[in-house]
Amino acid sequence: MTDLSDLPPARPWRSSALWPAAALLASLALWGYAVTHTDVSDLGDFGLVGALHPAFWTGLALLTAGFWLTLRGPYRHPAWAPAYVVGLLVMERATQAVVYPTPLYAWAWKHDAVIDHLLTAGRLQSADVVGDMAVYDQWPGFFAAQAALVKLLGVDSAAQFMAWWPLVSSLMLLLPLLLMYRTFTEDRRLVWLAVWIFSVANWVGQDYFSPQSVAFALHLGILAIVLRRYAGGTSAATSTSGKAGGPRQAVWTVLLTLLVVAVVISHQLTPGMLVVSLAVLFFARHYRDKVPLITTAVIFLAWCLTAALPFLSAALPDMLRSIGDIGGNVATGYGATPTGTGAVTTSWVARLLSASVLLLAAVGALRQPVLRHRALPLLLLALAPLPMFAASSYGSEMIFRVLMFMLPGAAFFAAAALLPQARTLTAVEAQGTRPEPRRFVWLPLLALLAGTLAFVPSYSGKDRISYFPPAEVDLVRQVIDKVPDGSLVVAADRNYPLAFADYWRVDHYWFLDDAREHVDRIVREPAATLARDMASVEAPGRAYVLFTRGQFADSEMNGLLDKGQLDRIERSVAASPLFERVAGNSAGSAYALRSGTETPEPKEAGR
């Protein structure tokens, strides 16, 4: 495809730079005003969507329109597209870091606890020391790197910078995406539009402070190297890679091996996805060298049979049972039942956003046969993750991970659907730069604008669950800081900050993980049932039960227990002589089981 944006502009660049610069600066100014005038102290069912100042939406719409018109206008300069994309990432991924005083996501706090453990223990430990959390010691790459970063920066913990990780991890994806897309086209319009669509469609939330965020960037980097340096003539970019076995190829093989090792030691799922992707490309004969596939498969298998063997041995029965159960593996993800207008609405917006991008990708592949032939490897990479549905539910998240791994290829062809047919340079020189039909400018702009705005509820619509105000962090910290070694902290579920804090010396138990029969018993006889569950803790340890707003939000919005049931449990514990209140503030309260008290025998059902 020919890059029409590379044609000499009809006017000097400086005379055509005023309006793109003005639109970009105005949109960022509106964003800055919005985030400084957004109140997140009382989030509703729509999360951040309902709290954002209206200037945010105006700024995002202006940014999108400016990007599209700059990309398609007659006076394009190559600097504007990347500037607008970076502006998009700032508005998408930095907003939460600015408006929220504490980091989002209970899982991010959990990863901070793993890093704290590495810094405290100074080494990896087995399951007989840290229990189920030993799985993180079996994939320590991300955590070891972050522990080193904490030391290097001289901060107390990763919590001091992990709120900005979504922006950092999204910026990390730009280089591998650009390398992949430039392998198949020199049309900057298509490349940057694909990057934009990828950014707004990547709502699944795996950019937070997690091993997946880094492993995904490395995954794309490996695929970019393979497509550009091992493809054996797939594109013009590979023609300079040197002969197979030459010194330059050896350098790329060493780099590839290092990246593969980093992926394998950091994450459980990504290496499997990488092997599948490389196998699809190899057996479809889109690169000739066996080195990438064999290297990745051998390193992955070696790690599974050594460091990761304890976890895999324990998880193997469940993994085998889920193989082939495509319906069950999908249902555990999208089969959840959110409750409340906000949760249901934002879930459907996210689904429609993903479905729209996949539909556009299909249209783009059908509509541009030349591009489909030339960029067939990207189409294969978009389809390669689908068999993973038959492998596992991956803790109810497989559908979201499959969508994420499909997105780089899908975004490329979705961008092609929004652009007119490419013309050769000869035709352009002969015919001049004829204006395109209005429908090719305004209809795609409306589609791009709708997708960009839809990202916000898809990504931030459930922040009532994900956000933990400072009072909630302080409450949990009060409890954790004073509990003796060997203590037990009980909560409804794990959706609160520091839920895994000090896990090497404190046990944690979440009763909503239990069988429904036991949960119903807790609802009927809250204080007595919880006291019996907590009575086995031996001195000097003590047993605590913790109630926080984050647990209540997660339980309500995911249809586990409603507010009335949760309030009843808390009131029962507060009024019971079996418990004493040890901490509390506006975000919740904590109670300790009194020492030396006898717990009542359970009543029979129905009495």
Side-chain angles (χ1 to χ4, degrees):
M1 295 181 67
T2 303
D3 183 5
L4 303 182
S5 65
D6 288 338
L7 293 175
R11 302 179 186 175
W13 174 72
R14 285 175 294 180
S15 67
S16 62
L18 183 60
W19 78 262
L24 178 60
L25 293 176
S27 61
L28 292 177
L30 287 168
W31 172 77
Y33 180 85
V35 295
T36 56
H37 291 77
T38 293
D39 181 11
V40 296
S41 60
D42 186 23
L43 294 179
D45 278 352
F46 286 88
L48 186 60
V49 177
L52 280 170
H53 191 279
F56 176 89
W57 302 100
T58 304
L60 188 57
L62 178 61
L63 184 81
T64 306
F67 168 75
W68 177 254
L69 296 177
T70 299
L71 199 69
R72 303 299 311 281
Y75 311 119
R76 294 181 295 272
H77 187 277
W80 288 122
Y84 271 90
V85 167
V86 171
L88 173 71
L89 294 179
V90 169
M91 294 184 71
E92 282 185 344
R93 263 73 183 190
T95 297
Q96 293 168 313
V98 175
V99 301
Y100 295 131
T102 58
L104 293 179
Y105 305 116
W107 285 97
W109 288 91
K110 179 180 182 179
H111 297 154
D112 179 47
V114 177
I115 295 165
D116 188 32
H117 166 244
L118 285 178
L119 292 170
T120 301
R123 63 186 186 279
L124 305 178
Q125 293 180 310
S126 58
D128 59 342
V129 178
V130 291
D132 293 340
M133 295 296 286
V135 64
Y136 293 101
D137 286 13
Q138 293 167 43
W139 279 276
F142 173 81
F143 304 106
Q146 295 302 325
L149 183 60
V150 168
K151 286 286 190 181
L152 181 64
L153 296 177
V155 295
D156 293 334
S157 72
Q160 294 183 250
F161 59 79
M162 67 187 186
W164 291 93
W165 196 258
L167 176 61
V168 173
S169 63
S170 297
L171 291 172
M172 286 193 301
L173 296 176
L174 288 182
L175 179 58
L177 284 173
L178 291 173
L179 290 175
M180 290 178 66
Y181 295 155
R182 287 302 296 258
T183 302
F184 302 102
T185 181
E186 295 178 353
D187 189 337
R188 287 196 180 97
R189 302 170 307 160
L190 179 56
V191 169
W192 286 106
L193 183 57
V195 172
W196 183 285
I197 292 175
F198 173 88
S199 299
V200 301
N202 188 22
W203 60 266
V204 296
Q206 293 305 314
D207 56 358
Y208 75 104
F209 188 71
S210 64
Q212 176 71 94
S213 63
V214 175
F216 185 51
L218 295 173
H219 168 86
L220 293 184
I222 293 167
L223 293 178
I225 291 174
V226 169
L227 291 172
R228 292 181 72 86
R229 297 294 170 178
Y230 291 85
T234 297
S235 71
T238 62
S239 62
T240 60
S241 61
K243 295 180 180 179
R248 294 181 64 186
Q249 197 76 344
V251 171
W252 287 109
T253 299
V254 170
L255 176 60
L256 182 86
T257 302
L258 293 175
L259 294 178
V260 169
V261 169
V263 172
V264 168
I265 68 174
S266 298
H267 198 242
Q268 299 96 330
L269 178 65
T270 305
M273 288 281 194
L274 182 58
V275 170
V276 171
S277 298
L278 292 175
V280 167
L281 292 176
F282 179 77
F283 290 111
R285 303 183 67 82
H286 283 283
Y287 67 93
R288 303 170 183 170
D289 201 324
K290 299 177 182 178
V291 169
L293 177 58
I294 293 176
T295 299
T296 304
V298 168
I299 294 174
F300 183 34
L301 183 61
W303 189 261
C304 290
L305 295 178
T306 54
L309 188 59
F311 168 78
L312 294 176
S313 298
L316 189 60
D318 288 337
M319 294 170 64
L320 292 176
R321 279 193 293 269
S322 65
I323 291 177
D325 185 13
I326 298 177
N329 294 339
V330 172
T332 55
Y334 269 148
T337 308
T339 58
T341 303
V344 173
T345 301
T346 54
S347 293
W348 275 106
V349 170
R351 299 178 190 192
L352 290 173
L353 176 57
S354 293
S356 299
V357 170
L358 295 178
L359 179 60
L360 278 175
V363 171
L366 293 173
R367 185 169 165 265
Q368 305 230 29
V370 174
L371 181 65
R372 182 176 70 243
H373 173 75
R374 185 173 184 180
L376 182 59
L378 287 180
L379 191 59
L380 294 175
L381 289 176
L383 299 175
L386 291 175
M388 300 302 290
F389 281 132
S392 170
S393 67
Y394 198 66
S396 79
E397 292 190 354
M398 182 58 79
I399 188 169
F400 304 110
R401 306 301 174 96
V402 167
L403 285 171
M404 182 180 68
F405 281 98
M406 292 177 68
L407 193 54
F412 183 81
F413 285 97
L418 297 182
L419 291 172
Q421 292 286 344
R423 292 167 291 183
T424 66
L425 185 58
T426 303
V428 172
E429 290 173 339
Q431 301 170 11
T433 54
R434 294 180 298 177
E436 295 166 359
R438 284 183 174 271
R439 67 179 183 275
F440 288 131
V441 177
W442 299 111
L443 289 180
L445 171 58
L446 293 176
L448 192 65
L449 185 61
T452 303
L453 296 178
F455 169 85
V456 182
S458 302
Y459 187 74
S460 305
K462 296 183 180 179
D463 279 6
R464 183 182 164 218
I465 294 176
S466 304
Y467 169 55
F468 311 113
E472 189 167 358
V473 177
D474 291 342
L475 172 65
V476 181
R477 201 180 299 279
Q478 287 178 47
V479 176
I480 296 297
D481 286 349
K482 65 183 179 183
V483 300
D485 290 356
S487 294
L488 171 68
V489 177
V490 177
D493 68 14
R494 63 197 73 194
N495 191 63
Y496 58 94
L498 302 163
F500 292 83
D502 291 8
Y503 62 83
W504 54 95
R505 69 177 191 90
V506 178
D507 290 329
H508 298 269
Y509 159 57
W510 304 282
F511 60 78
L512 287 181
D513 288 350
D514 288 348
R516 187 67 203 189
E517 179 184 357
H518 187 68
V519 174
D520 291 340
R521 188 179 303 125
I522 291 175
V523 173
R524 290 196 305 270
E525 300 178 270
T529 306
L530 288 173
R532 286 192 297 272
D533 292 343
M534 300 160 62
S536 60
V537 177
E538 297 180 357
R542 297 193 67 187
Y544 301 80
V545 59
L546 182 66
F547 300 97
T548 66
R549 57 153 301 284
Q551 300 171 54
F552 281 36
D554 184 54
S555 178
E556 289 178 64
M557 294 186 71
N558 285 309
L560 304 176
L561 290 178
D562 60 36
K563 187 176 185 303
Q565 293 171 313
L566 293 166
D567 286 341
R568 182 174 183 274
I569 293 172
E570 184 174 6
R571 287 195 303 268
S572 174
V573 170
S576 172
L578 301 173
F579 293 89
E580 59 178 326
R581 192 171 190 263
V582 294
N585 58 28
S586 60
S589 55
Y591 301 85
L593 184 66
R594 295 182 186 274
S595 302
T597 57
E598 294 185 4
T599 58
E601 293 297 323
K603 296 179 181 178
E604 295 180 7
R607 288 184 59 186

